[in-house]
Amino acid sequence: MPLNIIIGTQWGDEGKGRVVDLLAGQADYVARYNGGDNAGHTVQVGKQTFKLHLIPSGVIQPHTVGVIGNGLVVNPAVLLQEVEMLRALDIEIGPKRLKISHAAHIITPAHLALDAAREQARGIGKIGTTLRGIGPAYNHKTERSGLRVEAMRDLENFAESLKAHVETINKQLTTLYNAEPLDAQAVTEEYVNYAHQLKPYISNVSILLSQALQHGENVLAEGAQGTLLDLDHGTYPYVTSSNPTAPGALVGLGLGVGHIGHVIGVTKSFQTRVGEGPFPTEVDGSTAGRLRGTGVNPWDEFGTTTGRPRRVGWLDIVLLRYALRVNGVTELTITKLDVLSGLDALKICVGYRAGDQVYADLPLGPTDLDYEPVYEELNGWREDIMSVRAWDDLPAAAQAYVEHIEALCGVPAKMISVGPEREQIIQR
Ligand code: IMP
């Protein structure tokens, strides 16, 4: 059985969590491969809403094993809180159901303090990070001074390394950023306690998943964030510090290239972004209010991790085609089609204009967004489609919207979500 990869084609928040939850029904392992608790994946099962940041959303399906790959940066405090939160909801996540790669990196309070200090120092040039210590933890990884999860197996050495790590960052905080230092001893004690609790979860994820694939088991890789936030392929520097794109799944789980089955690109039926950076199809005013919602529903467009209102806009086919290319997407899942109900007309961006020239692809990719979007306008529909379960029952204008996206992208949309609940999905 293959490795299937779920990725976001936009700036994250495409609704990957609910798609993972659905496809995890057929998976043995569900593995996160990038990022950390900057992610926020929401899954609605009946009246229960699960909001997960670090543990793969697929563990809500009780037969799965959740995996945290080497590509992640892990905040142990958040991880243990999530284990407790799931336990309180009767989902038992012990070391048999959750495996953490020995080679993942650890986020400490010093990384959080650095993230905040650096954002403040950037002033108006700030990235708008989630302040979860993601960038600084990956900095230390690439600088080769990071703390890996495997260090937790030897508590004495771990305590020493951790203390030295906090003391080094304290110097940076006080001298470069005029920020308060942390209590290195207190952080060390806190983290030694976490290490005690997390030791049984540490695993060689590369061996575990490779053997599972060889034995015909099904592995679902769950991307966090989205293509346009990818460190290499996104709107740099307004990106995250990892590779959410599909190839990141191989590096971030320690798997070879021969296993890939489907790459499922999850695309919201409009566009959203949190944080700073370019967003050419962004809208404001009443259309934005309609797309964003008011915040009363868990699925309204407010950040799962930070609560910030998301910026909203029209679907950008130029960026979508780009995402399909850099990920090798084999099928699309279009989410939140129901949110478009009631709009008179729908716009989609099909090109970018500079003078007389219209580009179907951006010459330098998504950092090259200094152009004017060229829109096509499609008819909207009035009907509420949240109870529709079959393609043939969708209004003609909704079908035409989806079919037009497929025609422009050359990739089939196999699933369309029309509401937040597990069964509010149309399979084709
Ligand atoms: P960081 O990952 O916290 O360093 O934030 C870098 C950028 O990525 C900021 O614009 C964040 O808002 C954005 N970002 C990080 N994680 C997510 C996510 O899960 N969904 C949407 N945006 C995210």
Side-chain angles (χ1 to χ4, degrees):
M1 283 292 269
L3 163 73
N4 293 319
I5 307 175
I6 295 186
I7 57 97
T9 63
Q10 296 162 321
W11 282 289
D13 309 317
E14 297 89 354
K16 296 179 290 298
R18 56 124 56 240
V19 180
V20 171
D21 170 63
L22 186 83
L23 298 183
Q26 281 101 52
D28 300 290
Y29 293 87
V30 185
R32 280 274 310 266
Y33 61 85
N34 78 296
D37 63 300
N38 48 350
H41 292 164
T42 307
V43 179
Q44 178 95 17
V45 185
K47 294 225 173 318
Q48 264 181 338
T49 304
F50 299 86
K51 285 185 189 268
L52 290 166
H53 299 284
L54 198 49
I55 295 182
S57 333
V59 299
I60 293 164
Q61 298 273 9
H63 63 279
T64 57
V65 173
V67 173
I68 291 185
N70 57 278
L72 275 87
V73 284
V74 176
N75 183 328
V78 173
L79 185 63
L80 289 164
Q81 275 160 22
E82 281 191 358
V83 168
E84 281 311 312
M85 183 267 287
L86 288 169
R87 198 165 280 159
L89 297 169
D90 285 334
I91 298 177
E92 188 55 37
I93 303 288
K96 285 214 173 82
R97 284 211 61 207
L98 182 67
K99 308 285 178 187
I100 306 173
S101 167
H102 65 288
H105 278 248
I106 299 171
I107 295 182
T108 71
H111 291 132
L112 270 77
L114 261 188
D115 202 356
R118 286 180 180 168
E119 274 290 84
Q120 204 178 1
R122 286 184 188 114
I124 51 159
K126 73 176 182 186
I127 292 166
T129 76
T130 58
L131 300 176
R132 299 299 170 112
I134 306 295
Y138 279 114
N139 282 169
H140 285 125
K141 172 177 176 173
T142 53
E143 193 194 65
R144 292 155 296 177
S145 62
L147 289 161
R148 303 210 314 178
V149 165
E150 64 194 347
M152 290 183 164
R153 290 175 312 162
D154 176 345
L155 292 181
E156 217 169 291
N157 277 331
F158 180 58
E160 253 174 55
S161 311
L162 199 67
K163 202 152 173 252
H165 155 88
V166 177
E167 282 165 357
T168 306
I169 294 181
N170 272 347
K171 281 189 205 134
Q172 296 174 13
L173 287 169
T174 50
T175 55
L176 294 179
Y177 300 107
N178 203 19
E180 286 297 311
L182 299 163
D183 180 341
Q185 187 59 33
V187 172
T188 305
E189 281 165 24
E190 183 190 345
Y191 269 60
V192 166
N193 178 21
Y194 296 148
H196 263 301
Q197 297 179 65
L198 289 178
K199 248 162 101 170
Y201 294 82
I202 302 173
S203 165
N204 185 326
V205 160
S206 169
I207 294 181
L208 178 80
L209 296 181
S210 300
Q211 287 182 346
L213 288 163
Q214 270 160 18
H215 294 147
E217 290 184 287
N218 200 347
V219 178
L220 190 61
E222 172 177 346
Q225 292 85 46
T227 304
L228 302 173
L229 288 173
D230 186 282
L231 181 58
D232 291 81
H233 301 295
T235 46
Y236 192 89
Y238 299 100
V239 291
T240 190
S241 301
S242 68
N243 291 113
T245 40
L250 302 179
V251 181
L253 295 171
L255 292 172
V257 293
H259 302 290
I260 301 175
H262 299 287
V263 178
I264 299 144
V266 184
T267 301
K268 206 179 282 185
S269 54
F270 49 101
Q271 205 94 4
T272 64
R273 166 162 217 172
V274 269
E276 307 304 314
F279 184 172
T281 62
E282 185 168 9
V283 294
D284 52 22
S286 62
T287 307
R290 280 279 292 98
L291 294 175
R292 185 181 299 116
T294 56
V296 292
N297 304 308
W299 58 88
D300 287 344
E301 296 294 348
F302 291 78
T304 315
T305 302
T306 58
R308 290 180 287 183
R310 295 181 187 139
R311 299 158 66 193
V312 293
W314 299 116
L315 184 64
D316 190 326
I317 298 286
V318 177
L319 292 181
L320 178 55
R321 272 201 303 254
Y322 170 81
L324 302 187
R325 172 158 59 81
V326 296
N327 287 287
V329 167
T330 57
E331 62 185 77
L332 279 173
T333 292
I334 297 179
T335 58
K336 292 192 134 185
L337 193 65
D338 53 297
V339 173
L340 300 182
S341 297
L343 288 168
D344 291 333
L346 305 170
K347 285 186 179 182
I348 50 179
C349 168
V350 292
Y352 279 97
R353 189 193 312 279
D356 291 340
Q357 182 97 23
V358 173
Y359 295 101
D361 284 305
L362 289 159
L364 299 183
T367 46
D368 199 14
L369 285 173
D370 232 358
Y371 301 105
E372 189 198 333
V374 177
Y375 289 106
E376 277 184 2
E377 208 165 280
L378 281 81
N379 290 331
W381 57 92
R382 292 256 141 233
E383 298 88 330
D384 177 355
I385 59 173
M386 290 180 91
S387 56
V388 174
R389 298 290 174 272
W391 170 255
D392 289 342
D393 296 336
L394 276 177
Q399 291 179 345
Y401 185 71
V402 172
E403 283 171 343
H404 198 50
I405 296 169
E406 291 178 313
L408 290 168
C409 294
V411 174
K414 294 264 180 86
M415 291 194 285
I416 298 148
S417 85
V418 289
E421 297 223 9
R422 236 180 210 166
E423 70 277 8
Q424 285 179 300
I425 205 143
I426 297 168
Q427 309 226 30
R428 293 165 82 204

